[in-house]
Amino acid sequence: MAASLIRAGHRLRVWNRSPQPVAAQSAGARTDVPLPFGSVLRDVFLDTLAHGDSHKDWAAITAVSRRRAGLPV
């Protein structure tokens, strides 16, 4: 099922219009469902936006990890 949710070439630009990690955290808070990874995911997507990578696909998340580790992107 997860493979059908994240397809190659899917652009991150959708996070500009609909910040789903934030919406998911709000929904979790309303229903008392902890989403401990939600803030990490939100921060990664905000990092991609800040570095102008929203036009890239999900591989941009790898660039965030490399940048944070001090490795070349």
Side-chain angles (χ1 to χ4, degrees):
M1 177 166 176
S4 66
L5 296 176
I6 301 175
R7 295 184 190 101
H10 181 76
R11 304 288 181 225
L12 296 177
R13 189 179 314 265
V14 69
W15 300 98
N16 280 333
R17 293 186 299 254
S18 174
Q20 293 179 4
V22 174
Q25 284 184 291
S26 297
R30 283 193 310 272
T31 57
D32 293 325
V33 175
L35 299 171
F37 194 68
S39 62
V40 173
L41 186 58
R42 183 199 66 223
D43 292 346
V44 167
F45 282 108
L46 288 176
D47 191 302
T48 62
L49 294 173
H51 286 89
D53 292 338
S54 65
H55 66 285
K56 296 181 180 177
D57 66 8
W58 287 81
I61 294 171
T62 303
V64 172
S65 298
R66 294 184 63 82
R67 198 169 20 251
R68 289 179 177 176
L71 299 172
V73 178

